[in-house]
Amino acid sequence: MRLFQNSGIYPTYLTKLDQDAAGAANFQERRDIFLADRYGACHFLKPIQDAQSDAFFTNGDDEKLQRLWARERGLPAEISPEDILLAQIEEHRAEVFYNLDPMRYGSAFVRRLPGCVRRSICWRAAPSPGADFSAYDRVVCNFPSIIESWRRIGWQAGYLTPAHDPEMDAFSEHTERSLDVLFIGGYSRHHTRRARVLEAVAQLASRYSVLFCLDASRVTRLADSPLGLLPGLSRYRRPRGIRQVAAAPVFGRDLYRLMSRAKIVLNGAIDMAGEDRGNMRCFEALGCGALMVSDHGHYPDGFVEGETMLTYRSAEEAAARTVHILENWGQGREIAARGQRMVGSRYSKTIQWEMFQALL
């Protein structure tokens, strides 16, 4: 099977990649730097992980990467990103197109795929009003309610999960965990449930080491500065407790390193997720050997309250459970160890690849 996997890059990470790959002279060098950094690695299929010759990976929204490929093949400078991606798929003679960025490359793009492509699959794990994925053979994710919503509108859909990145194993072995609580993700007043939890846990910083690595917009950064006292910016200003524990976002191996220093990784779904749980942070936290404390809901198999993770139902309970387990860290260490063993065995790259092939 000739596999072509396309992904996308979060804008904040793209800034980091540009710095890391500043010396990259060609497409392969820039792509290899990206792959080695492990950003989004839970979604890399096994043939990509193993660098098999019949598997090709790219980030279709990384314009610098894609322009390098196009220039190396003498394509016109004005060629569109869509046409570059189509040319890559055709050159690879891909039989399967797996797309992690269907909001950018939807059905209109799929209908233009070259004839060598026999199956097209996309990953989408969020409600997407107005989006059209009907031309894909399968729309996949690990949120059953979202899968059912695709099926209700007549699309073919299936279940697929992120996988444990074997690169995490070395990080999970770290025993010196000087950071008590870590959160990595977005903070917004539009994410009301998550915001309440983060604000409650941030209050523990007077007793424990707490760090929130938050992606902040330019407006938020201005609002958190002394200028944020001005009327026009004050509504964007984050609470004082959040500001005191906030740091810049981290990605890839930097994220793994930070998680390997943390006893607890705090997790929380955003409001639109409903009751389904299982975002990539779940797999990263357990894979790096941290104890995940996350909101109550329907998790993938193996993510079990009190056995491989802990859950909360309110902001107050999140703070209380965090304090309790830090004061009884022997118990917390055991739960974290069980979680790491579970995710490494039940969600291996081999099992993910078998699940993917079954979808075909």
Side-chain angles (χ1 to χ4, degrees):
M1 176 198 310
R2 299 189 64 79
L3 170 71
F4 190 107
Q5 183 168 357
N6 176 63
S7 189
I9 296 177
Y10 199 61
T12 309
Y13 178 76
L14 185 58
T15 301
K16 176 183 183 299
L17 178 61
D18 285 342
Q19 295 171 348
D20 292 346
N26 55 52
F27 171 86
Q28 184 171 337
E29 285 183 14
R30 184 176 174 93
R31 183 187 60 184
D32 288 352
I33 289 169
F34 169 82
L35 290 172
D37 196 37
R38 314 313 295 161
Y39 174 90
C42 291
H43 287 293
F44 298 169
L45 295 178
K46 193 173 190 300
I48 303 297
Q49 173 93 18
D50 296 344
Q52 295 181 10
S53 60
D54 58 357
F56 187 96
F57 181 95
T58 196
N59 290 306
D61 66 343
D62 181 352
E63 186 170 358
K64 289 183 179 178
L65 177 75
Q66 296 296 82
R67 296 289 172 191
L68 284 170
W69 188 92
R71 187 165 64 243
E72 289 162 14
R73 282 150 183 80
L75 297 177
E78 65 273 13
I79 188 171
S80 70
E82 291 81 4
D83 286 340
I84 295 175
L85 191 57
L86 287 168
Q88 289 172 325
I89 294 168
E90 185 169 23
E91 181 182 272
H92 183 62
R93 305 191 314 280
E95 297 170 296
V96 175
F97 174 58
Y98 181 39
N99 183 23
L100 301 175
D101 192 11
M103 295 299 289
R104 187 181 305 271
Y105 299 104
S107 287
F109 179 83
V110 173
R111 295 186 183 103
R112 297 182 63 200
L113 288 172
C116 57
V117 178
R118 297 165 54 194
R119 292 288 185 271
S120 59
I121 295 180
C122 71
W123 169 280
R124 182 63 179 169
S128 309
D132 179 11
F133 308 141
S134 61
Y136 282 93
D137 293 302
R138 290 285 187 278
V139 186
V140 301
C141 71
N142 63 325
F143 288 179
S145 64
I146 292 179
I147 292 172
E148 184 56 33
S149 74
W150 303 146
R151 290 173 175 164
R152 281 198 300 270
I153 58 178
W155 300 348
Q156 297 296 314
Y159 187 84
L160 185 69
T161 72
H164 172 68
D165 178 8
E167 295 286 321
M168 295 175 183
D169 291 342
F171 294 92
S172 71
E173 296 170 357
H174 291 187
T175 56
E176 294 297 325
R177 294 183 176 259
S178 57
L179 183 58
D180 291 319
V181 184
L182 171 67
F183 174 81
I184 301 172
Y187 171 89
S188 165
R189 292 191 181 278
H190 298 295
H191 302 154
T192 54
R193 288 188 301 181
R194 177 185 285 181
R196 287 195 296 267
V197 170
L198 294 182
E199 289 170 29
V201 175
Q203 300 305 313
L204 304 179
S206 61
R207 300 168 55 188
Y208 304 100
S209 56
V210 179
L211 180 65
F212 293 171
C213 296
L214 307 175
D215 195 11
S217 67
R218 183 172 179 271
V219 171
T220 299
R221 291 194 296 271
L222 284 172
D224 284 351
S225 74
L227 292 175
L229 299 176
L230 298 174
L233 286 172
S234 59
R235 63 194 179 102
Y236 299 103
R237 192 173 176 84
R238 294 180 292 193
R240 183 170 181 270
I242 296 290
R243 297 198 308 271
Q244 288 183 327
V245 300
V250 292
F251 305 96
R253 287 187 183 274
D254 290 340
L255 181 148
Y256 290 3
R257 291 187 190 98
L258 202 50
M259 285 188 172
S260 75
R261 290 177 44 210
K263 294 183 178 75
I264 290 173
V265 168
L266 184 66
N267 187 50
I270 58 177
D271 295 4
M272 70 178 183
E275 291 302 310
D276 284 338
R277 303 288 183 266
N279 61 330
M280 192 165 61
R281 194 69 74 244
C282 298
F283 297 85
E284 292 168 337
L286 271 63
C288 289
L291 169 61
M292 184 174 69
V293 177
S294 191
D295 49 343
H296 178 80
H298 304 308
Y299 282 84
D301 291 345
F303 289 83
V304 180
E305 152 64 27
E307 294 185 17
T308 57
M309 58 178 286
L310 295 178
T311 61
Y312 57 83
R313 293 177 180 269
S314 67
E316 295 75 19
E317 187 178 16
R321 297 212 76 179
T322 297
V323 170
H324 175 79
I325 205 66
L326 287 173
E327 295 299 317
N328 298 272
W329 184 239
Q331 177 188 358
R333 186 185 296 109
E334 292 175 1
I335 296 172
R338 287 196 295 268
Q340 195 277 332
R341 290 194 296 270
M342 182 279 295
V343 80
S345 59
R346 189 171 297 198
Y347 294 96
S348 69
K349 287 292 180 183
T350 297
I351 291 174
Q352 181 192 47
W353 179 233
E354 290 171 351
M355 293 175 67
F356 184 85
Q357 291 179 93
L359 291 166
L360 302 177

